[in-house]
Amino acid sequence: MSTDTGTTSAAAAAKRRWSALIFIGLAQLMIVLDITIVNIALPSAQRDLGVSDGDRQWVITAYTLAFGSLLLLGGRIADYTGRRRAFLVGLLGFAAASALGGAAPGFGVLLAARALQGAFAALLAPSALSLLAVSFTEPRERAKAFGIFGAIAAGGSAIGLVLGGLLTEYLDWRWCLYVNVPIAVIAAFGRYVLPADSPAGGGTRLDVPGVLLAVSGLVAVVYGCSEAESEGWDSAAVIGLLVLGAALLAAFVLVERRVAQPLLPLRVVLDRTRGAAYLAVGLSVVGMFALFLFLTYYMQLVKGYSAMLTGAAFLPMTAAVLAGAGGVAARLIPRVPPRVLIAPGLLLAAAGVALLIPLEPDSSYAAGVLPAELLVGFGMGLVMAPSMNYATHGVQPEDAGIASASVNTAQQIGGSIGTALLNTLATSATTDYVTDKLAQRQPMTPELRKAGLVEGFTHAFGYASAILVVAAAAVAVLMNTPRPKGGSGATDAEPLAVHMG
């Protein structure tokens, strides 16, 4: 009788875990969607609200600044107040900010709403990942769950392009923000199946100096990178911001070594497995963002695709991500060392980006773009699933939130630096190409402009591919985690535990 009861209880707990994954995945999808869906809506919003070309970038920057700079604080708040509570607060706050942005009567309100979205996302993202980490501790289940989560993290941006194109073309740009509200409301029902946890004891104190140094340092770095796109890397303001950011973050590390209750315990990031996972995520998004950014411009400005058709053109990449993360990686995570998946995944992504280097203005989608999308998507699926898994692997339960925040921070910083760097390289190559052709007395025609744009894109693709190769080599050297014991997925690290209540 007791055996039957135990079996029934185990089955109920498993059902609850997988139900929780649905709601955690919805929250993650909402965050990832917002990275690209607003990009599609931006031209329409700019016309509707009368935003100047110089100011339009702030619609994106306001979100990334708040999100990237507050992630470490958000992760620690989740650890101190309870992950489920932080998840729900972040979820409902994100929905409210999205509704405010959708109803914005002017540019100022839209900017405030985007900054609020970023702040609540900084609380929601680490809460979601840490809830997943503490919910799935059995190796095979954990591998499958992180395969699904990794697919959402890597493929959600492409879905955002499709959805943004549909909403903008058939409804209104405001629906690109309003769409978050029903997603958040549905995800909030996860309260009934998410694992309950207790806030940290009364003796905990927030590391205020660490918070101030981390937030200000990350703001300086992210803002400096965003300004580099328009001002150039040799701008005094950009150099000053990046030097200031580096100095503040160096001071942050010194403070974290000395305080009793640090915002970011250095043991979290100095572990070779977790540190390599953060590095893999941070550098892999460089290739991912390069593909999204430059292929979006290529398909719309060079090939003349509509926003909706451009989004649809990225769907094969989403399917490849699902195959890599949810299919191959989920099966192999419990059986092989993580670098056996991550390093080849980065090399596949590098090969996919390299396929775009010969791209021409008249290249066809099937021959010029599709093979690259499939390789990059499959490679990113192999990278993201094990990286998200091992980024939170083996940490103490009280550090799950900050470990989750660290991998999200790596993603944000990598994306900010990579986008700014590659965009600068592409713009410079385009300018040089057009200047050279004009010096040869060729007339400035639409065809020359397109050829110049493609020259810039392919130049950036070459650098992005090289960065991914370097990332693969770094992971292969640094991530020395052995094959899970007996192929069952058990490791030497103690699994995270949480009361399911």
Side-chain angles (χ1 to χ4, degrees):
M1 189 71 175
S2 61
T3 302
D4 292 340
T5 303
T7 302
T8 303
S9 176
K15 182 178 179 181
R16 187 171 181 176
R17 285 195 297 275
W18 290 107
S19 298
L21 175 61
I22 295 173
F23 298 108
I24 293 170
L26 274 176
Q28 177 66 14
L29 179 62
M30 185 176 69
I31 295 170
V32 177
L33 282 177
D34 217 66
I35 296 172
T36 51
I37 196 171
V38 174
N39 290 18
I40 295 292
L42 187 55
S44 299
Q46 183 182 356
R47 289 192 300 269
D48 193 18
L49 300 179
V51 181
S52 69
D53 286 345
D55 287 338
R56 66 185 176 188
Q57 65 163 327
W58 283 102
V59 178
I60 307 299
T61 305
Y63 178 82
T64 57
L65 270 178
F67 189 18
S69 62
L70 294 174
L71 269 165
L72 293 179
L73 177 59
R76 189 47 97 192
I77 289 174
D79 287 330
Y80 285 172
T81 64
R83 289 174 284 273
R84 184 168 69 177
R85 180 181 300 173
F87 178 84
L88 293 171
V89 171
L91 195 64
L92 297 178
F94 193 94
S98 299
L100 177 64
F107 183 54
V109 175
L110 179 59
L111 279 189
R114 289 289 287 162
L116 282 172
Q117 276 187 309
F120 282 111
L123 182 62
L124 178 59
S127 302
L129 182 55
S130 57
L131 280 169
L132 187 68
V134 299
S135 297
F136 291 90
T137 56
E138 193 280 321
R140 292 187 184 278
E141 281 195 344
R142 184 179 172 93
K144 187 180 297 184
F146 273 91
I148 295 170
F149 191 86
I152 294 172
S157 297
I159 298 173
L161 292 171
V162 179
L163 188 59
L166 286 169
L167 293 173
T168 302
E169 191 159 333
Y170 292 108
L171 289 174
D172 187 80
W173 68 267
R174 296 178 183 274
W175 280 96
C176 291
L177 292 163
Y178 286 142
V179 73
N180 293 323
V181 177
I183 296 175
V185 169
I186 294 170
F189 282 99
R191 178 184 183 279
Y192 299 103
V193 292
L194 291 173
D197 53 358
S198 301
T204 58
R205 292 190 303 173
L206 189 62
D207 171 20
V208 176
V211 169
L212 295 176
L213 287 169
V215 170
S216 56
L218 290 171
V219 164
V221 171
V222 175
Y223 183 45
C225 291
S226 67
E227 286 296 288
E229 293 188 59
S230 57
E231 301 298 325
W233 289 96
D234 56 352
S235 160
V238 171
I239 293 172
L241 283 166
L242 294 178
V243 170
L244 175 62
L248 288 169
L249 292 176
F252 169 71
V253 172
L254 293 177
V255 168
E256 298 308 278
R257 292 178 62 183
R258 297 175 182 272
V259 296
Q261 295 179 352
L263 173 68
L264 174 60
L266 296 183
R267 63 179 178 271
V268 172
V269 294
L270 292 181
D271 175 87
R272 286 181 66 167
T273 297
R274 288 193 294 272
Y278 300 152
L279 181 67
V281 170
L283 292 180
S284 67
V285 296
V286 174
M288 190 75 148
F289 281 26
L291 199 78
F292 281 132
L293 177 66
F294 298 122
L295 279 187
T296 297
Y297 282 131
Y298 174 77
M299 287 188 274
Q300 291 195 22
L301 299 182
V302 177
K303 305 299 287 185
Y305 290 8
S306 67
M308 185 179 68
L309 184 57
T310 299
F314 281 108
L315 284 177
M317 182 176 176
T318 304
V321 169
L322 291 173
V328 176
R331 293 176 182 273
L332 293 181
I333 286 173
R335 297 184 173 93
V336 300
R339 63 180 168 188
V340 171
L341 289 171
I342 298 174
L346 287 165
L347 290 176
L348 278 176
V353 175
L355 286 180
L356 295 169
I357 295 175
L359 204 64
E360 298 287 346
D362 59 353
S363 297
S364 69
Y365 171 78
V369 175
L370 182 59
E373 283 191 6
L374 294 175
L375 270 180
V376 173
F378 190 78
M380 290 299 295
L382 295 182
V383 171
M384 282 297 180
S387 294
M388 291 292 185
N389 182 6
Y390 281 90
T392 57
H393 189 73
V395 297
Q396 298 300 316
E398 63 270 19
D399 290 334
I402 196 66
S404 302
S406 296
V407 71
N408 280 285
T409 301
Q411 191 170 16
Q412 283 297 306
I413 297 300
S416 297
I417 295 175
T419 301
L421 174 62
L422 293 174
N423 194 55
T424 302
L425 291 169
T427 302
S428 177
T430 294
T431 301
D432 291 345
Y433 179 87
V434 172
T435 301
D436 183 59
K437 294 299 181 184
L438 292 176
Q440 298 174 21
R441 300 187 181 279
Q442 292 190 23
M444 176 58 80
T445 62
E447 288 72 23
L448 178 59
R449 289 193 186 93
K450 291 179 180 179
L453 285 173
V454 174
E455 177 70 18
F457 300 160
T458 56
H459 190 72
F461 286 139
Y463 280 96
S465 181
I467 290 170
L468 289 169
V469 171
V470 171
V475 169
V477 171
L478 291 175
M479 188 173 266
N480 60 342
T481 311
R483 177 178 180 270
K485 290 181 180 179
S488 64
T491 69
D492 295 330
E494 289 295 322
L496 290 166
V498 68
H499 169 64
M500 300 288 290

